[in-house]
Amino acid sequence: MEVILAKSAGFCFGVKRAVDKVYEQIEGASGHPIYTYGPIIHNEEVVKDLEKRGVSVIRDEQQLRSLDQGTIIIRSHGVSKQIYQIIEKSNLSCVDATCPFVKRIHKIVERESRLGRPIIVIGNQGHPEVEGITGWAEGPVMVAESETEAEVIANNLSGFGCIVSQTTFNYNKFKDLVEIFKKKGYNGNVVNTICNATEERQIEAGRIATEVDAMIVIGDRHSSNTCKLFEICSKKCADTYFIQTLEDLHMELPITTALIGITAGASTPNNIIEEVQNYVRINF
Ligand code: SF4
């Protein structure tokens, strides 16, 4: 079978960097405990593999405060300033794998709020990246996820503010929400901090799905970016399959199938993508 594998399939730069840092720590650990603040990526397979290698996931601040030795790794989503302060006061050593694109938002938020500007984060309420970002504000900070929320915030906003976005937020929705602020008279800063890794992956997946007879999307069922890829590909190619690993692949393809496309979500490891790709090439 001929296969087109999306170049942007799998880990983005920030996630790859974070996962690599965890494996580097495992290599040099020699019995020393390793923790990640939240799962390093949204992929059950990877998290299970790391657990087997002695990496435990810390879920919240309280658990973090209870640790007295070892290394804590901050994932690509980043964390609030308070989490760094807790780590500094503890005996833990810290490996900071915050994606530099997220780090940039932390710096903007800290700087702008120090200037007395209210911060508006356009992003998903409760998302760890958004919680981390809001935790760098030294003054008022609000999150707008929907048009209604944007309207409420805009109605109560006074003075020159600063709008930033979650890195994985949809660009068109970001533009729409900013427009709401502007219509209400907002004339403060607007910094588009959306990372284009997600958009590039989506555009490429959609393009490949229009060219092939069947499409395979690999990723965790709980990963929202993988679900989005599946949705995009299904619209362009009726034979689109969503799998987590090779074991889920049960394709019943028409005899005329000649070309299969493969893409994968941002938290899908390379070895799973390779395995699926090789299997499809040889067995179909
Ligand atoms: Fe960094 Fe972009 Fe990946 Fe987020 S999606 S971790 S900002 S590279």
Side-chain angles (χ1 to χ4, degrees):
M1 181 65 68
E2 247 201 275
V3 170
I4 304 180
L5 173 66
K7 289 194 184 75
S8 57
F11 291 173
C12 61
F13 150 79
V15 168
K16 181 175 184 312
R17 183 171 165 273
V19 173
D20 287 350
K21 280 188 195 272
V22 178
Y23 283 98
E24 273 165 29
Q25 288 302 312
I26 294 170
E27 273 178 31
S30 58
H32 182 81
I34 303 171
Y35 307 97
T36 59
Y37 194 77
I40 195 79
I41 52 169
H42 282 129
N43 187 293
E44 285 172 15
E45 305 294 320
V46 176
V47 173
K48 269 191 236 155
D49 178 57
L50 289 174
E51 258 166 26
K52 274 191 232 145
R53 295 166 191 254
V55 180
S56 318
V57 177
I58 295 302
R59 301 279 167 187
D60 53 32
E61 259 183 61
Q62 206 187 346
Q63 247 187 313
L64 178 64
R65 285 181 202 272
S66 70
L67 304 177
D68 55 5
Q69 55 155 330
T71 298
I72 181 98
I73 303 167
I74 297 173
R75 58 186 174 175
S76 56
H77 288 322
V79 292
S80 67
K81 196 171 182 174
Q82 191 182 335
I83 299 294
Y84 284 98
Q85 288 164 348
I86 297 171
I87 298 170
E88 263 167 37
K89 283 188 197 143
S90 71
N91 277 330
L92 299 165
S93 40
C94 179
V95 173
D96 190 356
T98 307
C99 176
F101 299 132
V102 178
K103 202 93 194 156
R104 175 176 165 246
I105 310 177
H106 294 172
K107 289 199 177 118
I108 295 171
V109 167
E110 191 180 38
R111 187 189 65 224
E112 295 288 302
S113 63
R114 270 187 190 155
L115 293 169
R117 296 172 181 162
I119 305 295
I120 301 104
V121 183
I122 295 192
N124 302 116
Q125 299 276 5
H127 187 285
E129 184 193 309
V130 173
E131 285 180 350
I133 294 170
T134 57
W136 284 85
E138 297 192 358
V141 56
M142 291 142 282
V143 178
E145 178 173 350
S146 63
E147 294 187 3
T148 321
E149 285 168 353
E151 273 177 23
V152 172
I153 296 170
N155 283 336
N156 294 299
L157 203 63
S158 58
F160 194 95
C162 177
I163 298 179
V164 294
S165 55
Q166 181 183 339
T167 56
T168 47
F169 207 72
N170 177 283
Y171 177 61
N172 289 330
K173 205 169 161 197
F174 172 74
K175 270 200 309 193
D176 292 347
L177 297 192
V178 168
E179 209 37 52
I180 292 175
F181 280 90
K182 290 197 169 159
K183 277 194 186 138
K184 301 265 179 191
Y186 176 83
N187 66 350
N189 288 339
V190 177
V191 195
N192 173 4
T193 47
I194 294 174
C195 163
N196 54 15
T198 311
E199 198 188 353
E200 278 170 14
R201 191 183 297 105
Q202 290 175 356
I203 293 171
E204 191 188 19
R207 184 180 48 73
I208 294 175
T210 56
E211 294 168 9
V212 296
D213 303 306
M215 187 79 196
I216 302 170
V217 179
I218 318 166
D220 195 278
R221 275 183 216 297
H222 303 114
S223 145
S224 62
N225 79 83
T226 315
C227 293
K228 183 78 191 167
L229 284 178
F230 178 70
E231 190 190 310
I232 293 170
C233 294
S234 305
K235 279 187 193 147
K236 315 257 179 183
C237 173
D239 272 319
T240 296
Y241 298 81
F242 191 150
I243 61 166
Q244 256 182 212
T245 64
L246 182 57
E247 283 168 29
D248 307 328
L249 187 65
H250 307 290
M251 297 199 295
E252 282 172 28
L253 298 172
I255 194 100
T256 51
T257 305
L259 187 59
I260 293 183
I262 299 177
T263 188
S267 30
T268 309
N270 230 353
N271 61 320
I272 297 183
I273 304 172
E274 279 297 307
E275 207 179 20
V276 172
Q277 183 191 190
N278 291 337
Y279 183 88
V280 173
R281 280 190 201 279
I282 297 163
N283 294 283
F284 285 94

